Amino acid sequence: MNRVSRRQFLTTSAGIAGILAAGVPPARGQQREISYLCWNNFAPNSDKKLAEIGQRFTKDTGIKLKIDHVSHMGPQQSKYASEVQTQAGHDLVEMRMHFPWLYEPQLVDVSDVVTELEKKYGKALGSSYEGAHVNGVWRAVPQYHGMFVATYREDLFKQASLKVPDTWEDLYTVGKELKKMGHPVGIPISQNYDSISTAGPVLWSFGGMEVDKDGKTVRINSPATVQMIEWYKKMFRDCMEPEVLSWSDASNNESIQQGKAGWIHNPVSAYIVAKQRKLVTADGINHHRSLGGPSGRHETDTPRHIGIWKFSKNVEPAKEWIRYLLGKREVYDEYIMSGDAFNLPTYEKLQDHPVLRTDPKYAALRGEGVQYHTYGWPAPPSDKVQLITNTYLLPNMIAKAVTGTSTKDSIAWAETEMKKVLAG
């Protein structure tokens, strides 16, 4: 048996006595660390600012923060699924749209944090409420929202004396001219979110819907959907290029930045990146409101939230990070400003935010009278609605129709698939 020296005994005893007296573990045990998985922001400076704020958070709180980024399409969804399946991974995750509904059983109740934020900033916008308030409980904290507007080459429109469109039919008229000029309309018809972000407003503007307000009845097979499909067919034929069938979410941005597309439907990120990279197209790009149809003007909103996995062993430090990023007005302002109007504040009292006055080309983002919705409207948000989104049924239906399947058969296919999702 090893004997303990007097020096060793005194050192150890003093240490234990100190711990007992203080009631806290030693410094090494106090080290707290959290990890945050978020997507690659389309406004790149926002990611840099987030890292900078994270470093300050660590300095101010002693909580080490590790931020990881992932592409927001398939890789993000796969990562969520993997972490839930293994019950291991990050403490916090950035979620968009209805993902909190899809992962409700796996997410911590963060109603306390949201209540604090709403006292300070006013109620969260309806789109954030739809996405993150699940069965009476906030399963994620509203972070910001991104609004879809029309991004167009104002210089080309002036050159050809084209009228800025107000309806989807107007877009067909100017789209034909743009294509003749070598600058086609760039609306993706492929498996990505931007495809849905345009297909939804077009469908709603013609009076259609995927699922009824009861959340149970599939309504995609309707005269309004026929009108929507026929509009897409003539747009694809006369105003667009076949490449839109294979586009990613970034493709329409790149097309207008590189000087090809004359009109796209997108948040202001295409312009932001063109401006930051000093591309020659930046000066000619401008924005206008999303378009209307026989049943009004309906716009897509894409709220983002921050959720905390239930398997996290660091729930309180994770909440502390959210309060630091979103709850400190000066920090939240700093974060919003870094996104250059791509990350819009999602609380009522912050709607007239200074970021909207940093550039006159953001005027279209001032949302007076806006009827914007999340995917699946008017069906109430649910995991099933998110699954219809995740399986890209709406753009797949359109792709079938514009590539030769009859309108009737394309809609019937979508109806069958949507019913399967709701039945599952």
Side-chain angles (χ1 to χ4, degrees), residues 30 76 106 109 117 156 190 260 289 295 323 409 422:
Q30 286 181 331
Q76 186 188 57
Q106 303 293 335
D109 179 352
L117 294 174
L156 297 177
S190 49
K260 183 171 183 181
R289 300 304 299 273
S295 292
R323 289 183 172 109
D409 287 348
L422 293 189

Side-chain angles (χ1 to χ4, degrees), residues 90-271:
H90 296 81
D91 299 290
L92 305 110
V93 283
E94 178 180 336
M95 295 188 149
R96 61 173 275 152
M97 302 296 274
H98 299 140
F99 274 89
W101 285 81
L102 196 59
Y103 289 105
E104 177 192 6
Q106 303 293 335
L107 292 169
V108 167
D109 179 352
V110 288
S111 300
D112 54 342
V113 180
V114 179
T115 299
E116 293 169 17
L117 294 174
E118 288 192 324
K119 281 182 181 176
K120 186 175 291 187
Y121 302 141
K123 292 290 184 184
L125 297 184
S127 52
S128 294
Y129 183 89
E130 288 178 24
H133 194 256
V134 184
N135 294 320
V137 172
W138 286 99
R139 290 295 171 188
V141 181
Q143 181 183 13
Y144 66 90
H145 74 118
M147 183 177 158
F148 270 72
V149 292
T151 300
Y152 72 111
R153 285 285 301 281
E154 187 177 34
D155 54 339
L156 297 177
F157 273 61
K158 288 180 178 176
Q159 177 186 325
S161 299
L162 298 178
K163 181 183 175 185
V164 174
D166 186 53
T167 67
W168 296 108
E169 282 304 322
D170 290 345
L171 179 62
Y172 175 67
T173 301
V174 299
K176 287 189 293 185
E177 298 305 314
L178 287 170
K179 186 172 180 179
K180 289 176 188 172
M181 295 166 65
H183 299 285
V185 170
I187 296 175
I189 307 176
S190 49
Q191 294 191 349
N192 62 47
Y193 289 140
D194 278 2
S195 296
I196 303 170
S197 296
T198 303
V202 176
L203 179 63
W204 301 328
S205 297
F206 280 109
M209 65 184 77
E210 296 159 272
V211 178
D212 212 334
K213 292 178 182 177
D214 63 7
K216 300 175 183 176
T217 310
V218 174
R219 297 290 189 198
I220 193 66
N221 198 341
S222 72
T225 307
V226 172
Q227 286 183 282
M228 175 249 216
I229 292 283
E230 295 303 322
W231 178 86
Y232 262 100
K233 280 184 172 178
K234 66 184 184 183
M235 285 295 298
F236 182 74
R237 183 188 64 228
D238 299 333
C239 310
M240 297 157 69
E241 296 287 351
E243 64 188 22
V244 301
L245 295 170
S246 60
W247 271 8
S248 71
D249 271 337
S251 301
N252 56 349
N253 298 40
E254 292 165 356
S255 183
I256 201 164
Q257 289 162 357
Q258 293 166 4
K260 183 171 183 181
W263 189 101
I264 67 171
H265 192 236
N266 203 72
V268 294
S269 51
Y271 169 64

